[in-house]
Amino acid sequence: MQTMRANPAVVSALAALVVIGSTDVALDPSNSLHLLRGVILVVLSFGIALYLWNGWLGAERSLARAKQSLYSMKAERDVWRERTRTSLDRLSRRIDETFRGWRLTPAETEIAWHLLSGATDRAIARRTGRSVRTVSTHAAAVYRKSELAGRVGLAAFFMENLVHSPDPSQVRVPAIVGSPDYS
């Protein structure tokens, strides 16, 4: 683990204060007021140095805990990504199987994927280089072959088994202010 280093200028300044103060006290012990100021200076400098050193150690420990937490979260994220990727791959294969079961052409399949992504006919036309009318024609063929009523029906067809439906008796729709409570 990389350790934190104290700021050399601060450490040097505090060390200089301690050394100068100690030297001053040792060389001129005759004046008691001067001696008292020197001792106070040395003790304060030493106390500040200890306080900063303790802060640096605390910061180092905190950084180590944060790094460990980050590594743990990254590992958890990687597991989640892999599970999600596997699930999405399976879902994509199942959707492709369903499209084949509906006997969609390759162009209709491409349009159906775009429809599932929520794109508008105009956006699909831009993405695929087709005209809006061609996209609308392919979309209509997808809905006809799937026997679904439109884009919402297409999305709902694939979503109905993915989302857990709560028990209807447990769902409480909030009332709109001024309207009767229908629950």
Side-chain angles (χ1 to χ4, degrees), residues 101-105 108 140-148:
W102 290 341
R103 301 194 193 301
L104 300 183
T105 67
E108 292 165 350
V142 169
Y143 305 140
R144 182 176 37 75
K145 290 178 179 182
S146 65
E147 298 179 1
L148 297 169

Side-chain angles (χ1 to χ4, degrees), residues 74-90:
K74 283 181 178 178
E76 188 177 319
R77 176 207 61 198
D78 292 343
V79 167
W80 182 87
R81 277 184 176 172
E82 187 54 37
R83 284 183 188 156
T84 303
R85 183 180 11 255
T86 301
S87 295
L88 289 176
D89 287 346
R90 278 196 311 255

Side-chain angles (χ1 to χ4, degrees), residues 65-78:
R65 285 190 303 271
K67 283 182 177 180
Q68 181 59 39
S69 178
L70 179 63
Y71 293 137
S72 175
M73 284 192 263
K74 283 181 178 178
E76 188 177 319
R77 176 207 61 198
D78 292 343

Side-chain angles (χ1 to χ4, degrees), residues 10-135:
V10 174
V11 173
S12 298
L14 290 172
L17 283 173
V18 171
V19 169
I20 292 169
S22 299
T23 304
D24 186 43
V25 169
L27 295 177
D28 190 16
S30 60
N31 184 344
S32 61
L33 185 57
H34 181 74
L35 179 65
L36 180 62
R37 280 194 314 241
V39 168
I40 290 172
L41 177 68
V42 169
V43 169
L44 281 175
S45 297
F46 187 69
I48 291 170
L50 285 177
Y51 175 78
L52 289 174
W53 179 70
N54 187 43
W56 285 319
L57 284 179
E60 191 173 283
R61 287 186 202 112
S62 178
L63 179 62
R65 285 190 303 271
K67 283 182 177 180
Q68 181 59 39
S69 178
L70 179 63
Y71 293 137
S72 175
M73 284 192 263
K74 283 181 178 178
E76 188 177 319
R77 176 207 61 198
D78 292 343
V79 167
W80 182 87
R81 277 184 176 172
E82 187 54 37
R83 284 183 188 156
T84 303
R85 183 180 11 255
T86 301
S87 295
L88 289 176
D89 287 346
R90 278 196 311 255
L91 177 61
S92 291
R93 285 193 303 273
R94 292 296 305 248
I95 291 172
D96 275 331
E97 289 170 9
T98 302
F99 289 165
R100 282 193 299 279
W102 290 341
R103 301 194 193 301
L104 300 183
T105 67
E108 292 165 350
T109 299
E110 181 183 10
I111 299 303
W113 276 109
H114 286 286
L115 292 168
L116 284 175
S117 77
T120 64
D121 288 357
R122 180 167 286 158
I124 297 169
R126 271 194 315 271
R127 291 179 193 170
T128 63
R130 293 180 173 94
S131 71
V132 174
R133 183 172 177 174
T134 301
V135 169

